[in-house]
Amino acid sequence: LAAGEKVITELQPWMSESGAPVDAMPYGKPSAYEDHVKRRTVEWLTADPISSINFTPLHELDGIITPNGLAFERHHGGAADIEPGKHRLMINGLVETELVFTMDDLMRFPRENHVYFLECAANSGMEWRGSQLNGCQFTHGMIHNVMYTGVPLRLLLEEAGVKTAGKWLLAEGADSAAMTRSIPMEKAMDDCIVAFKMNGEALRPEQGYPVRLVVPGWEGNMWVKWLRRLEVGDKPWHHREETSKYTDLLANGKARRFTWEMDAKSVITNPSPQAPIKHGKGPTVITGVAWSGRGTVPRVDVTVDGGITWHKARISGPSLDKSMHRFYYEFDWDGKPLLLQSRAHDSTGYVQPTKDQLRKFRGVNSIYHNNGIQTWAVDEEGIAENVEIS
Ligand code: MTE
């Protein structure tokens, strides 16, 4: 027997002693051996940790669901700690009846369950001018994908009775940043949800407890957390988050505004800089995630030679509207250097562009909406690095 195989013949402590009793941990946690799996920040990215961001460890996950404790956080004024009994949701403005709901009131409306991705518009924003951050957690980790339970926003608006002139909705948060965004009424009436559960349990405080707005397929900034007010109006408000921020400055000095939908995108999560290949040449699994704010992702291509040849990846797991998809490509690695890329095709026929194709139209001034193809260079040792190829 090889030395490593002693683990089969030797009695291990967990086989010779009883384990922990049932109530050792009334709210369960991952194994202590998994404590490296965590959200991480990039300290120099923001001036302080209150208005800041951390990243989902995509390279440690599989399937399509982000566990609640690992969903990235983005706060403009820190995470509010709200007592649900003291929280109210108000609807005012161009409505027949202005309404105020308690959390108990919201529970009496019909609920729905949907899995949606939330991607911050700034995801991959540091990569516009060239490869920068070494790990898919940092280049692509401003995304999470969870199942929401909540009340369709349409039902609450119908309860208040939107006046004919009511074409826009302002969503406002109860945090110290009082985040506000204008949302067109068609979207509000279509698939938005006022959600109070994620993956079956109450929203986490950092995700907007007790209630947040879900705006499927649209940029994360619009998914107002700690939702306290919905105002119906006849035009957009042009607040800070939709003028000086979350607009895309083009090379000619003009800015694209109201770029709400998140374009199709994908990334290989394994191997990647934080998850090298450790087993040497031979059978190798490449995996990653893909998503589109416009529908599903019926196809993902993978290349191991920098785009000379593309292979159709295998999608496994649910293919849901505006949700993350999981793909795999298994191949026999000859141990030579690799240039790995993935390319998503969404259900509208849109194909994820290269970074150079994006830059041709959008320049490099913006930090938002970078959905370009990501490249990892893998060397003979299996070490992966963030690179760009032209
Ligand atoms: N809502 C409020 N009230 N305050 C905030 O700071 N941040 C927004 C949005 N909703 C924010 C908010 C931004 S920029 C993003 S990307 C998402 O919430 C992040 O959601 P998450 O923290 O669940 O990842």
Side-chain angles (χ1 to χ4, degrees), residues 49-51 73-84 86-87 172-179 203-212 224-228:
I50 303 290
S51 177
E73 306 166 63
R74 169 72 177 113
H75 318 308
H76 292 235
D81 181 16
I82 294 183
E83 206 181 309
K86 291 190 181 165
H87 188 72
E172 181 187 273
D175 53 333
S176 65
M179 250 216 35
L203 291 176
R204 292 289 168 90
E206 57 271 39
Q207 260 72 46
Y209 180 85
V211 65
R212 93 174 299 165
V224 173
K225 301 191 276 192
W226 313 290
L227 184 67
R228 70 177 292 270

Side-chain angles (χ1 to χ4, degrees), residues 201-267:
E201 63 177 2
L203 291 176
R204 292 289 168 90
E206 57 271 39
Q207 260 72 46
Y209 180 85
V211 65
R212 93 174 299 165
L213 190 62
V214 168
V215 190
W218 288 22
E219 60 187 18
N221 184 260
M222 305 176 87
W223 298 47
V224 173
K225 301 191 276 192
W226 313 290
L227 184 67
R228 70 177 292 270
R229 192 167 71 90
L230 294 163
E231 181 177 338
V232 177
D234 57 358
K235 49 185 172 311
W237 280 259
H238 287 117
H239 281 186
R240 172 184 180 270
E241 307 291 331
E242 46 207 15
T243 50
S244 78
K245 304 284 181 245
Y246 301 97
T247 47
D248 313 329
L249 188 59
L250 300 172
N252 64 7
K254 289 194 173 181
R256 300 198 308 161
R257 63 163 193 171
F258 296 157
T259 45
W260 299 310
E261 276 174 322
M262 299 309 293
D263 296 308
K265 188 165 167 181
S266 67
V267 65

Side-chain angles (χ1 to χ4, degrees), residues 65-287:
I65 294 293
T66 313
N68 289 345
L70 295 176
F72 87 95
E73 306 166 63
R74 169 72 177 113
H75 318 308
H76 292 235
D81 181 16
I82 294 183
E83 206 181 309
K86 291 190 181 165
H87 188 72
R88 299 288 182 273
L89 172 60
M90 169 168 125
I91 302 186
N92 70 323
L94 297 176
V95 289
E96 300 300 338
T97 322
E98 297 191 328
L99 294 174
V100 173
F101 301 99
T102 62
M103 289 307 296
D104 288 343
D105 294 335
L106 292 179
M107 301 297 167
R108 297 176 65 187
F109 283 85
R111 295 170 214 169
E112 288 186 10
N113 295 300
H114 295 276
V115 179
Y116 291 125
F117 76 83
L118 178 164
E119 183 183 16
C120 180
N123 201 18
S124 315
M126 297 307 295
E127 309 290 307
W128 271 111
R129 288 162 196 261
S131 50
Q132 168 94 258
L133 297 170
N134 224 15
C136 71
Q137 177 164 18
F138 307 114
T139 55
H140 289 73
M142 291 187 200
I143 187 164
H144 51 64
N145 196 63
V146 311
M147 177 176 283
Y148 294 97
T149 306
V151 180
L153 176 56
R154 174 178 48 82
L155 297 183
L156 301 180
L157 291 171
E158 281 170 2
E159 188 78 9
V162 175
K163 291 189 173 159
T164 328
K167 298 288 180 221
W168 288 82
L169 192 66
L170 185 78
E172 181 187 273
D175 53 333
S176 65
M179 250 216 35
T180 40
R181 280 295 299 253
S182 307
I183 297 164
M185 192 56 73
E186 304 88 74
K187 181 68 174 173
M189 289 294 194
D190 180 17
D191 56 1
C192 292
I193 303 174
V194 172
F196 34 79
K197 295 267 201 282
M198 59 193 284
N199 292 333
E201 63 177 2
L203 291 176
R204 292 289 168 90
E206 57 271 39
Q207 260 72 46
Y209 180 85
V211 65
R212 93 174 299 165
L213 190 62
V214 168
V215 190
W218 288 22
E219 60 187 18
N221 184 260
M222 305 176 87
W223 298 47
V224 173
K225 301 191 276 192
W226 313 290
L227 184 67
R228 70 177 292 270
R229 192 167 71 90
L230 294 163
E231 181 177 338
V232 177
D234 57 358
K235 49 185 172 311
W237 280 259
H238 287 117
H239 281 186
R240 172 184 180 270
E241 307 291 331
E242 46 207 15
T243 50
S244 78
K245 304 284 181 245
Y246 301 97
T247 47
D248 313 329
L249 188 59
L250 300 172
N252 64 7
K254 289 194 173 181
R256 300 198 308 161
R257 63 163 193 171
F258 296 157
T259 45
W260 299 310
E261 276 174 322
M262 299 309 293
D263 296 308
K265 188 165 167 181
S266 67
V267 65
I268 290 173
T269 55
N270 306 79
S272 63
Q274 296 157 288
I277 305 176
K278 291 190 182 142
H279 53 61
K281 64 182 182 182
T284 301
V285 174
I286 291 177
T287 185

